[in-house]
Amino acid sequence: MTAAPPKTVLVIGGGIAGLTAAVELADVGCQVVLVEKSASVGGRVARMHQYFPKLCPPSCGLEMHYRRLRASNAITVLTQAEVIEVSGLPGDFKVTVQVHPRFVNESCTLCGACAEACPAERPDDYNYGLGKTKAAYLPHGMAYPARYAIDRAACTEGCKACAEACPCAAIDLAAQPESRKFKVSAIIAATGWRPYDASRLVHLGFGQFPNVVTNVMLERMAAVDGPSSGRILRPSDNKEPRTVAFVQCAGSRDENHLPYCSAVCCTASIKHAAYIRALYPETAITIFYIDIRTPGHLEQFFARVGSDANLQLVKGKVALVEENPATRDLLVTAEDTLAGRKSTRHFELVVLATGIVPQTKGLPVALHRDPYGFLAGPNGASGYYAAGCVRRPEDVYTTVQDATGMALKALQCANRSVTHAR
Amino acid sequence: MAEAVLVQPDASLIREIIAMGGGDLKKCYQCGTCAVSCDLSAEDVSFPRRQMLAAQWGLRDRLMEDPGPWLCFYCGGCTTRCPRKANPGEVMMALRRYLTAQYDWTGLSGLMYRSAFWEIGALALVAALVVLAFVLPHGFGFGLLAQSPAALESVNLGQFAPKEIVHIADRLLALLLGLLLLVNASRMFRALTRGKDIPLGAYLRAIPNLLVEAATQRRWRGCQDHTAASNWRRHLLLVTGYATIFTLVVVFLPWFQVEDSGFHWTSLLGYYAAGILLWSTASMLWDRARRRSEMHRFSELSDWLFPALLFLTALTGILLHAFRLSNWPMATCTMYVIHLAIAVPMLVVEVPFGKWAHLFYRPVAIYVAAVSRESSKGSSSNLGARSN
Amino acid sequence: MPGKLGVYICTGCAIGDALDAAKLVKCATGELKAPVCRTHAMLCGAEGCGLIRQDLETKAVDTVVIAGCSPRFKTEVFNFNHGSVVERVNLREHVAWCHKPQDEDTQMLAEDYLRMGVARALKTEAGEPLHDEISRTLLVIGGGVTGITAALEAAAAGYQVVLVEKEEELGGRAAHSRRLAQEIEGLAESALYHPRIRTLCLAQVVKIEGQPGMFDVAVSTAGGRETIRAGAIVVATGWKPYDASRLTHLGYGISPDVITNADLERMAAAGPILRPSTQQPVRSVLFVQCAGSRDKEHLPYCSSACCMGTLHQIGYLRQQDPEALVYVIYKDMRTPGQDERVYREVQDHPMNFFTKGEVESVRPWSNGTLAVTVNNTLLGDSITVCVDLVVLATGMVPNASEQILNLAYRQGPELPVLQDGFPDSHFICFPYETRRTGIYAAGVARAPMDDALARTDGMGAALKALQSMEMAAQGQAVHPRGGDDSYPSFFLQRCTQCKRCTEECPFGALDEDAKGTPQPNLYRCRRCGICMGACPERIVSFRNYSVDMIASMIKAIEVPEEAEEKPRVLALVCENDAYPALDLAGVRRRQYDANVRVIPLRCLGSLNIVWIADALSRGIDGVLLIGCKYGDDYQCHFTKGSELAARRLENVKETLQRLQLEPERLQLTQLAINEWDKLPELFDGFVERMRELGPNPYKGL
């Protein structure tokens, strides 16, 4: 292997799109540099409890990818890293990657002594802030790379407790960022998405009332390794909710927020209804929607979950959520557009089905975007390709499809560069 | 299941509403955010979503039977929060323009709402007639040139515009416009009550409310928008100013129109009216120009003209008064003609055919909505709930 | 050849605290006769690895057993790239972290795992990967949007492509679409003149034999019949509209003016849109969405493309008549993602009318129009609308399961279908995989989708196909065991022609000769081991995974005498889900009964019932099987491994009763990887039930 392998592809983003692209490219004979900005790969998918429509855990598919990453020499995974510079032309890019220090090296054995000794805390972003971790933390149980990390921003000044506690001498609190250079033939941007900031939906009460949560939070609440160990509970009093409202299009299909449809929220809410039904068969669920969008086979999932007598669908968008301060119950107002009646109903928990915002921060070059900020689709032999939710709002299944397709575009660049070199 | 209704969209209706300011009408995708955002919309007779839909589909009868557009006071919450930027507040405004045109049997209203040419033209025509009445020799048996040129050397307007004649004329005009308005309002009433079985008692019981509502427009106070309360107060003041000057002109003209440069106590009331009218209309125009609140963001020509004319009427009136007190005959006479050439067209055009009419239509709609709701309580066949 | 065994015991990460390392060493050197055995406090460190590497380099050792953390950790560190056998024994997650430290039972567990690990290592053989002449030509069946895209993109990556189309020209349905015709013509032209693409029109696949890397595809063309050697196949055979004659309730057939969206598309591509009955321009039209889709009586799925299709078709109408009245009756408007913009734009036209509703009837009305009655509309009532033309937005039916491939496979000529005529794939994780290795479905043949998605899909399927050829060239398995170069070998002399393997292989890898002897096609194999589990004669084995190997591991378990009151439970678990789940339980320090011995299997479907017999006859009190969920929403990556295991188990239970053993001694549990929290309870409960049942009467016999 030479210092500059001829068929190398840079994949930016280690979520399901980036992982898929990386593994697919490695399996077709490419070298891959996978750059992930956080401390572990897996992205948003790693934070999900189950996929729709099979209601199977994402960690199962991720585990298969991780097994490939562990076993394959073809994929270089760089976490806490960002691409800071790209120069050159398609087929022959030179990229510089800045790798931020993790402060924990490869010797870490996951023994957890550092976290035990650590006095400082940080918000647990894996759980969407629903809990805290120590400043010395393992991103989550299935994290890859399986290594602790130190959040220096959260550290108590001058504290060295973790380094002293580590039996493997794995902690170096003075570690410095390093810069690595690669020659690559193509670049896949798979930087994914972030949930729309629900606190901007002022009338829906998020951030004002504790029992208004977002769909991504509910996903964590349902997870066994989540903040409530898989029990979906009202944040205000940790009680099992007996009535739950789902507010669809919370920010999506809305010219004041996200004008496009986020494509996954309908099926996600139906999935969440299935979680709740499985946990609490008596709980009554209402989904307020404009159009239920469950394309393809997802329709059958909708039909199955939707046939439940305790699940009610109301065509009408929730435009107001208020709180009864005494009970912390929520008053949800919507117009049932089929019945022509506007009404206010009580719920113990309200879930906002917030949408998908493309995550384009940290891309090293200005890529063509559509009016909504998503990266544009494949365009010839530009050498840059976008895959997954940074290209359009889509579910995991479509993202995997997309990432596989973009892997072929990257392979074309890689193969062309090999041909030219010969 | 009720018998299926044959639906035939009225294409001209849709185009008219679009032309009258409802251009974003078709963007609505029926989510109901507007009805929830609306502070005035009730649970069973919700709006504006249903009106948006009826208008989108061009359902004339349904719109005509619906008091909804008049129950809206344009708080603007619906428009601010509409996820499709379909602008329901302005569509409701356009619907009111459309309905005003529909109630008017002469068809003039519709012409004027649809076309700036017609609206300006109508105002100009009436203004020209007023001016001609004074300018044409022996035009109508009185007038500027009917008198000796000496008439222009005195502030005594009676010399060329005798009080008795003017008084008769303004009462005749009030009567004529009132009649037109009444005919239109009765057409509105018939449309609103069509097919509804409302007992007389209900009508009678609701009369006090009707009067209060007509006098105060208190429903407006339901708006939670931060500008609503001050807008309502301003409007109420405007109405008092208007009513004062109306009474002075129509009832007390012989006293109000003073024939020399002296002062009469009725002028104090005139000051009140002029002050209020000047301030309130100027402030309304200023708001429209700034487009800060939702209610003022979109303005059609008709929205500008009425307050502008009212402002000018008040301004010319007070100038006329000042010139007379100053004993400037030529200026007084000229200003008088200008004053009338603004006030009369304004009244002729706006009262039965234009924006003024809302003073009449709104209370009627609120009245009918109240009585029909009362009478439908406990009855299953009501139009409000079309539940399946 | 007996290996030169080296056992390396790590005492770090609390292993040394929980266990008596000296006793482990004694077990290794004494009982297990390991010539080399070392302990280290941090085996994964440079020093620890150095020890192992040195022993390998000096050839003191060629079979390495590392007893420390789970093989899921430190994989890179313990990969010596040496060609030697390296076996990991999980003393950390499965022993030290989840059992009482310094306890007799914990120590026994660790020693058993060491014995089992050594047994496994000694049964692992070195071997060469498969190596054959591999064709790198891609065959694409179907020349529509998806197929042409797949062909062009694969060719652009440098591969040879043969594109087979049954019609006279390329283009498929898109060629008859007003919106797409021009573009598809350009694509078709690129394909026709591409130096690496050979296009065969008026051609059909009549037979496919062989396996990835060496498919022999017989194609009948106008010029006769020829055989093409291809490495992999993309099936892009598209769709047909749902049969509208079944939609009489929506008025189809009552008037020529009730047409389908496909009819409209053809009409629009050819010229102006006219009323079929009068050939006059259309003044009003009503679209019925979901005509036959989202309907239990017809197509239960959503056809995904019809909402956007209708919006485009309204565009055609608008071009010819801006004043025509257009009604759309929908169940839900489905314009996901950025497509919402199109809905918004079309909606904005004054003469377009949208409402949710259910069409009750379509019937002739006065002056030749059609009256459509719609219930439950947003307008609050049932409404009737009179129009010139009714367009039924019918859905898509895949062309994927009938007379497409004509595979000369023992398990049948076409791609297996799970539901609704779409080839089965693991819907989420591996969207392109079919149950026939090297054959990838794409476009609407695979799932309902619009043309934009079909293009990406063509690319993705092409990549998977190229990949399967590249993996075949290296003798490696494809996903989900990508990189695995082991393969099953069949000791056919002992075969009894029972055909279980050929029937059960989920991927149709095995054909049969006339007598019923299996004929393996190793490049079709995904290395799940289901054939190995199926075989009653135990003639199937991999060099690193065999019936004998697991049996040896079971034999390595020390079974205490009855008097010791220490029951023994064997847990055979799926290595991808249950095994990592048990690791997670360990990471979280969940404590559970130390009488369970866990053996990971490639797939629970590779469970051979002889292992159960071995275990019970050795006095093991119960056997617990943990696999993935099965059924319609199966989670098994080999589609039906745990389901097959469950079936085999039922047969064994009958045998147990004959042997007067309680069937409760066997249990199969379906468990997902994230259900690690249920494992301790499951283990404890099962051991408790074994205690209640009393010791296995075969103990000590």
Side-chain angles (χ1 to χ4, degrees):
Chain A
M1 191 72 53
T2 54
K7 285 171 66 167
T8 304
V9 176
L10 171 70
V11 177
I12 310 175
I16 192 67
L19 281 172
T20 303
V23 169
E24 298 297 357
L25 280 163
D27 279 357
V28 77
C30 289
Q31 296 282 314
V32 180
V33 178
L34 180 64
V35 172
E36 163 61 38
K37 94 178 163 217
S38 73
S40 66
V41 297
R44 303 264 164 210
V45 155
R47 304 187 202 181
M48 284 179 189
H49 172 49
Q50 288 175 338
Y51 283 147
F52 57 70
K54 285 200 175 198
L55 299 179
C56 58
S59 43
C60 165
L62 287 174
E63 173 68 14
M64 310 205 97
H65 282 318
Y66 297 163
R67 211 162 73 183
R68 294 290 288 138
L69 297 185
R70 284 193 289 261
S72 170
N73 296 321
I75 305 171
T76 307
V77 179
L78 302 172
T79 48
Q80 296 185 309
E82 53 189 328
V83 179
I84 51 173
E85 203 191 330
V86 176
S87 62
L89 294 166
D92 186 24
F93 289 116
K94 290 168 193 65
V95 298
T96 310
V97 180
Q98 175 101 336
V99 184
H100 299 286
R102 190 183 187 98
F103 306 102
V104 179
N105 66 26
E106 292 79 2
S107 303
C108 171
T109 61
L110 288 187
C111 69
C114 53
E116 227 163 276
C118 177
E121 285 189 328
R122 61 189 277 282
D124 183 359
D125 49 7
Y126 176 67
N127 279 322
Y128 290 99
L130 284 167
K132 292 199 160 175
T133 71
K134 294 292 187 64
Y137 68 102
L138 182 65
H140 57 95
M142 290 284 291
Y144 183 91
R147 233 198 289 165
Y148 274 74
I150 314 277
D151 184 348
R152 291 293 272 151
C155 282
T156 319
E157 212 177 306
C159 169
K160 288 187 180 129
C162 56
E164 284 157 9
C166 180
C168 316
I171 299 180
D172 173 11
L173 292 173
Q176 292 299 313
E178 64 173 312
S179 162
R180 297 182 59 174
K181 290 187 192 305
F182 298 92
K183 286 176 84 170
V184 301
S185 41
I187 299 173
I188 294 180
T191 43
W193 61 283
R194 60 191 150 81
Y196 186 67
D197 177 7
S199 63
R200 298 183 62 183
L201 307 163
V202 285
H203 297 277
L204 301 184
F206 180 79
Q208 306 158 51
F209 314 133
N211 295 330
V212 177
V213 299
T214 66
N215 46 4
V216 289
M217 290 163 77
L218 194 85
E219 201 69 58
R220 292 312 306 146
M221 290 157 84
V224 177
D225 64 341
S228 47
S229 305
R231 307 294 293 166
I232 294 171
L233 304 172
R234 270 161 51 108
S236 72
D237 51 13
N238 288 329
K239 273 198 204 141
E240 296 172 1
R242 285 165 302 177
T243 47
V244 182
F246 285 89
V247 178
Q248 295 310 109
C249 296
S252 300
R253 300 182 72 187
D254 189 334
E255 299 287 322
N256 301 311
H257 300 277
L258 307 174
Y260 50 87
C261 159
S262 292
V264 299
C265 334
C266 283
T267 326
S269 289
I270 291 161
K271 175 181 75 172
H272 293 159
Y275 292 173
I276 294 170
R277 302 290 301 118
L279 280 174
Y280 316 125
E282 301 301 314
T283 293
I285 300 165
T286 306
I287 298 180
F288 293 93
Y289 71 98
I290 307 172
D291 291 288
I292 291 284
R293 293 183 166 174
T294 49
H297 291 301
L298 299 177
E299 178 66 21
Q300 282 134 303
F301 176 60
F302 169 43
R304 196 172 75 225
V305 179
S307 63
D308 191 308
N310 265 354
L311 177 69
Q312 195 195 356
L313 291 157
V314 175
K315 184 169 164 70
K317 182 168 166 157
V318 171
L320 186 63
V321 177
E322 295 155 302
E323 190 194 49
N324 176 342
T327 59
R328 289 292 167 107
D329 286 352
L330 301 152
L331 305 161
V332 171
T333 310
E335 186 183 19
D336 179 342
T337 57
L338 285 171
R341 289 183 77 86
K342 158 177 160 180
S343 64
T344 300
R345 291 166 53 186
H346 284 246
F347 291 95
E348 295 188 344
L349 183 70
V350 168
V351 184
L352 306 183
T354 52
I356 281 176
V357 182
Q359 174 64 268
T360 51
K361 258 187 263 165
L363 284 173
V365 279
L367 299 174
H368 187 60
R369 301 192 191 183
D370 76 4
Y372 307 128
F374 289 93
L375 297 185
N379 43 344
S382 69
Y384 289 102
Y385 304 102
C389 283
V390 74
R391 185 153 94 81
R392 62 178 171 219
E394 57 193 15
D395 58 16
V396 173
Y397 159 71
T398 317
T399 296
V400 172
Q401 246 176 290
D402 202 25
T404 313
M406 293 310 118
L408 179 56
K409 299 302 288 184
L411 175 71
Q412 291 168 0
C413 281
N415 281 353
R416 260 197 302 274
S417 66
V418 175
T419 319
H420 290 319
R422 279 175 192 159
Chain B
M1 177 83 52
E3 187 67 11
V5 182
L6 187 68
V7 165
Q8 286 170 303
D10 179 343
S12 65
L13 179 155
I14 302 166
R15 297 215 185 275
E16 259 182 64
I17 290 171
I18 290 172
M20 289 178 181
D24 296 313
L25 157 77
K26 293 294 281 198
K27 295 198 175 99
C28 165
Y29 62 0
Q30 293 289 301
C31 66
T33 298
C34 48
V36 176
S37 313
C38 179
D39 304 315
L40 304 177
S41 166
E43 290 201 351
D44 48 350
V45 274
S46 62
F47 60 85
R49 181 193 61 83
R50 296 190 310 152
Q51 289 71 20
M52 293 289 284
L53 185 70
Q56 275 189 332
W57 277 69
L59 305 181
R60 185 179 175 279
D61 290 349
R62 195 175 284 203
L63 288 169
M64 290 294 287
E65 290 165 16
D66 187 354
W70 297 105
L71 304 181
C72 161
F73 276 77
Y74 211 154
C75 319
C78 53
T79 288
T80 312
R81 292 176 53 198
C82 173
R84 266 292 210 253
K85 290 210 191 304
N87 213 344
E90 190 60 21
V91 172
M92 291 294 264
M93 188 75 211
L95 280 176
R96 290 192 287 275
R97 293 178 192 126
Y98 171 80
L99 290 171
T100 303
Q102 289 297 309
Y103 302 146
D104 170 38
W105 58 274
T106 64
L108 288 169
S109 175
L111 282 175
M112 288 189 285
Y113 270 129
R114 278 193 297 271
S115 138
F117 173 80
W118 270 91
E119 183 154 24
I120 304 274
L123 288 166
L125 182 73
V126 181
L129 286 175
V130 170
V131 174
L132 283 178
F134 290 101
V135 177
L136 274 184
H138 303 280
F140 301 96
F142 67 100
L144 234 42
L145 296 181
Q147 305 297 323
S148 65
L152 293 177
E153 282 157 23
S154 155
V155 293
N156 182 0
L157 295 171
Q159 291 199 4
F160 73 93
K163 262 195 252 194
E164 314 77 60
I165 299 176
V166 174
H167 196 198
I168 290 166
D170 72 34
R171 277 181 292 182
L172 270 176
L173 187 65
L175 190 67
L176 177 69
L177 298 182
L179 270 174
L180 274 170
L181 199 57
L182 264 177
V183 172
N184 290 349
S186 75
R187 284 162 58 86
M188 175 198 193
F189 184 82
R190 273 211 310 278
L192 288 178
T193 53
R194 188 181 317 156
K196 291 178 196 160
D197 187 19
I198 301 167
L200 185 66
Y203 283 118
L204 295 177
R205 278 193 298 279
I207 282 178
N209 255 338
L210 168 68
L211 296 177
V212 175
E213 196 58 62
T216 64
Q217 313 257 311
R218 64 175 175 179
R219 183 179 161 79
W220 194 347
R221 286 161 58 207
C223 277
Q224 299 299 309
D225 181 82
H226 66 284
T227 60
S230 62
N231 283 344
W232 169 75
R233 276 195 299 275
R234 183 171 70 189
H235 188 267
L236 187 65
L237 276 173
L238 173 80
V239 171
T240 63
Y242 186 88
T244 308
I245 200 76
F246 178 86
T247 316
L248 287 176
V249 171
V250 175
V251 183
F252 298 106
L253 193 78
W255 298 274
F256 186 55
Q257 185 170 328
V258 182
E259 310 236 303
D260 51 30
S261 57
F263 181 83
H264 187 266
W265 65 269
T266 51
S267 295
L268 289 175
L269 291 170
Y271 292 158
Y272 170 78
I276 289 290
L277 288 176
L278 281 173
W279 167 78
S280 60
T281 53
S283 145
M284 283 171 180
L285 290 165
W286 174 239
D287 280 350
R288 277 203 185 275
R290 282 198 313 167
R291 303 164 58 119
R292 283 276 181 76
S293 71
E294 211 53 83
M295 179 182 171
H296 296 122
R297 273 210 305 157
F298 304 92
S299 303
E300 292 289 301
L301 179 65
S302 53
D303 300 323
W304 291 106
L305 278 178
F306 184 42
L309 291 173
L310 211 48
F311 177 82
L312 290 175
T313 306
L315 183 69
T316 51
I318 205 76
L319 283 175
L320 166 68
H321 180 71
F323 293 163
R324 181 178 61 78
L325 289 183
S326 311
N327 207 3
W328 294 344
M330 188 62 196
T332 307
C333 296
T334 315
M335 194 48 70
Y336 182 72
V337 177
I338 295 175
H339 179 64
L340 287 192
I342 291 169
V344 175
M346 173 189 78
L347 292 170
V348 170
V349 169
E350 297 291 345
V351 173
F353 308 118
K355 204 172 168 78
W356 192 98
H358 76 271
L359 279 178
F360 221 82
Y361 295 152
R362 259 195 208 291
V364 172
I366 293 169
Y367 176 61
V368 174
V371 294
S372 55
R373 186 190 301 182
E374 193 195 312
S375 65
S376 71
K377 262 181 207 157
S379 118
S380 60
S381 67
N382 80 74
L383 283 160
R386 291 166 189 267
S387 169
N388 297 294
Chain C
M1 185 199 73
K4 283 190 261 179
L5 182 65
V7 175
Y8 302 84
I9 299 163
C10 184
T11 56
C13 299
I15 298 171
D17 302 335
L19 300 169
D20 184 338
K23 277 194 193 162
L24 285 172
V25 172
K26 209 174 123 200
C27 173
T29 54
E31 182 189 334
L32 298 170
K33 302 190 182 68
V36 176
C37 180
R38 301 179 199 281
T39 61
H40 191 275
M42 193 183 154
L43 212 46
C44 58
E47 195 186 62
C49 285
L51 287 175
I52 304 173
R53 192 165 281 120
Q54 201 183 357
D55 287 344
L56 282 169
E57 279 163 8
T58 59
K59 303 206 191 312
V61 159
D62 65 7
T63 301
V64 177
V65 173
I66 298 166
C69 53
S70 160
R72 293 175 55 255
F73 297 98
K74 302 290 177 189
T75 317
E76 307 87 337
V77 175
F78 293 128
N79 178 7
F80 300 103
N81 284 326
H82 189 268
S84 51
V85 173
V86 178
E87 181 60 39
R88 306 273 302 271
V89 173
N90 189 345
L91 292 188
R92 189 176 74 166
E93 282 81 355
H94 288 193
V95 182
W97 281 359
C98 50
H99 298 291
K100 217 158 116 192
Q102 301 295 343
D103 180 81
E104 189 193 359
D105 289 340
T106 309
Q107 185 71 24
M108 289 173 97
L109 176 65
E111 287 175 14
D112 267 353
Y113 276 153
L114 197 60
R115 290 182 189 103
M116 292 155 78
V118 167
R120 180 171 206 137
L122 292 176
K123 290 287 178 187
T124 304
E125 290 165 19
E128 286 298 310
L130 293 171
H131 186 75
D132 289 276
E133 180 81 9
I134 293 299
S135 161
R136 283 190 170 83
T137 298
L138 173 68
L139 176 79
V140 178
I141 306 175
V145 175
T146 314
I148 299 178
T149 308
L152 282 172
E153 299 290 344
Y159 290 80
Q160 296 291 328
V161 180
V162 178
L163 177 57
V164 175
E165 165 59 44
K166 73 171 190 299
E167 301 294 330
E168 207 167 341
E169 286 184 346
L170 293 180
R173 296 207 165 263
H176 306 290
S177 154
R178 171 139 142 197
R179 182 171 61 89
L180 299 171
Q182 208 178 348
E183 200 185 341
I184 199 75
E185 209 174 296
L187 281 178
E189 208 162 290
S190 311
L192 283 171
Y193 294 109
H194 198 292
R196 282 191 289 275
I197 300 178
R198 188 171 159 228
T199 304
L200 301 173
C201 286
L202 281 175
Q204 261 173 306
V205 171
V206 287
K207 189 177 183 188
I208 298 178
E209 287 178 304
Q211 50 186 330
M214 47 189 91
F215 285 113
D216 286 315
V217 184
V219 180
S220 80
T221 62
R225 183 169 159 153
E226 66 170 300
T227 302
I228 294 162
R229 174 50 73 109
I233 299 166
V234 168
V235 180
T237 41
W239 58 283
K240 51 187 170 290
Y242 183 68
D243 178 8
S245 68
R246 299 191 56 199
L247 302 175
T248 47
H249 64 294
L250 298 177
Y252 194 80
I254 62 151
S255 154
D257 296 336
V258 180
I259 62 173
T260 68
N261 48 0
D263 298 335
L264 183 69
E265 195 67 46
R266 248 192 313 275
M267 205 197 294
I273 298 164
L274 302 173
R275 279 179 77 183
S277 63
T278 60
Q279 293 301 310
Q280 293 299 307
V282 174
R283 303 281 303 130
S284 56
V285 53
L286 181 138
F287 287 87
V288 180
Q289 296 307 107
C290 301
S293 297
R294 304 180 62 188
D295 185 336
K296 264 187 268 172
E297 306 292 312
H298 301 277
L299 302 175
Y301 52 87
C302 158
S303 292
S304 298
C306 334
C307 281
M308 278 299 281
T310 291
L311 296 176
H312 289 307
Q313 292 185 338
I314 293 171
Y316 309 156
L317 275 160
R318 283 287 160 241
Q319 281 172 12
Q320 73 181 50
D321 184 0
E323 294 301 315
L325 302 177
V326 177
Y327 305 88
V328 179
I329 310 299
Y330 61 80
K331 285 185 190 167
D332 292 283
M333 279 307 289
R334 292 186 168 172
T335 50
Q338 291 97 325
D339 286 348
E340 182 71 13
R341 183 181 51 85
V342 179
Y343 177 30
R344 187 173 187 263
E345 281 167 8
V346 173
Q347 223 195 341
D348 206 19
H349 190 282
M351 296 305 133
N352 291 345
F353 307 99
F354 287 79
T355 181
K356 184 179 168 84
E358 295 146 25
V359 172
E360 186 192 80
S361 68
V362 179
R363 56 192 195 281
W365 198 248
S366 57
N367 51 30
T369 60
L370 294 158
V372 184
T373 299
V374 188
N375 293 336
N376 294 331
T377 68
L378 290 168
L379 293 153
D381 321 272
S382 292
I383 59 167
T384 298
V385 182
C386 295
V387 289
D388 289 349
L389 185 68
V390 171
V391 181
L392 306 181
T394 53
M396 296 171 158
V397 179
N399 281 331
S401 52
E402 278 164 28
Q403 301 272 314
I404 301 286
L405 293 170
N406 296 303
L407 296 166
Y409 281 27
R410 188 236 177 264
Q411 288 187 4
E414 299 299 331
L415 295 174
V417 162
L418 190 64
Q419 54 180 13
D420 310 324
F422 293 97
D424 176 34
S425 74
H426 187 281
F427 183 58
I428 305 159
C429 287
F430 331 118
Y432 299 104
E433 296 293 346
T434 66
R435 291 199 199 174
R436 296 293 174 257
T437 311
I439 304 177
Y440 299 87
V444 183
R446 188 171 75 70
M449 62 183 81
D450 67 4
D451 59 287
L453 208 53
R455 281 172 225 228
T456 334
D457 210 50
M459 285 185 219
L463 182 95
K464 294 301 292 181
L466 304 185
Q467 199 181 61
S468 81
M469 299 193 280
E470 294 298 337
M471 299 298 258
Q474 295 176 56
Q476 292 185 355
V478 294
H479 217 53
R481 288 191 65 84
D484 183 358
D485 62 6
S486 70
Y487 54 88
S489 54
F490 293 74
F491 188 68
L492 291 175
Q493 285 92 322
R494 281 215 331 259
C495 174
T496 60
Q497 286 90 25
C498 73
K499 301 182 184 176
R500 282 185 209 159
C501 58
T502 58
E503 277 165 10
E504 289 189 358
C505 174
F507 306 105
L510 303 165
D511 292 331
E512 277 168 20
D513 66 8
K515 284 193 294 183
T517 312
Q519 294 183 310
N521 296 281
L522 295 176
Y523 289 92
R524 293 186 204 158
C525 175
R526 306 256 181 115
R527 282 75 165 174
C528 57
I530 284 176
C531 52
M532 179 179 120
C535 183
E537 296 299 314
R538 308 186 293 281
I539 66 162
V540 187
S541 34
F542 296 77
R543 64 173 177 77
N544 53 3
Y545 188 54
S546 63
V547 177
D548 182 33
M549 171 192 273
I550 305 297
S552 304
M553 291 173 77
I554 294 169
K555 284 195 190 90
I557 298 169
E558 214 168 60
V559 182
E561 296 294 318
E562 196 179 318
E564 288 185 52
E565 295 194 341
K566 289 185 191 300
R568 280 292 175 265
V569 165
L570 173 67
L572 297 169
V573 309
C574 162
E575 68 174 19
N576 190 70
D577 288 61
Y579 191 87
L582 202 57
D583 273 3
L584 280 171
V587 168
R588 306 214 173 228
R589 309 294 198 274
R590 294 294 167 95
Q591 305 292 303
Y592 51 85
D593 200 294
N595 291 305
V596 184
R597 306 293 181 260
V598 174
I599 298 179
L601 304 182
R602 281 190 182 183
C603 172
L604 206 60
S606 67
L607 167 87
N608 194 300
I609 51 172
V610 74
W611 298 333
I612 294 172
D614 284 355
L616 293 176
S617 65
R618 292 210 61 239
I620 285 175
D621 298 279
V623 181
L624 190 54
L625 306 171
I626 309 178
C628 305
K629 305 211 164 161
Y630 55 85
D632 280 351
D633 283 331
Y634 69 84
Q635 294 177 15
C636 176
H637 296 109
F638 302 109
T639 72
K640 51 181 185 180
S642 50
E643 193 174 350
L644 289 168
R647 215 183 298 157
R648 288 176 205 152
L649 206 59
E650 284 312 307
N651 299 334
V652 183
K653 280 188 177 170
E654 286 168 24
T655 322
L656 283 194
Q657 272 167 322
R658 280 204 301 277
L659 295 173
Q660 308 226 309
L661 275 173
E662 301 83 351
E664 292 82 10
R665 292 190 187 272
L666 297 181
Q667 181 183 322
L668 187 145
T669 299
Q670 300 172 51
L671 186 106
I673 190 170
N674 63 344
E675 293 177 311
W676 50 268
D677 60 320
K678 294 187 180 150
L679 276 171
E681 207 179 313
L682 176 68
F683 282 180
D684 292 350
F686 190 71
V687 174
E688 193 47 45
R689 274 198 300 288
M690 291 312 109
R691 285 207 169 92
E692 284 162 14
L693 286 177
N696 176 349
Y698 290 88
K699 221 181 262 284
L701 286 180

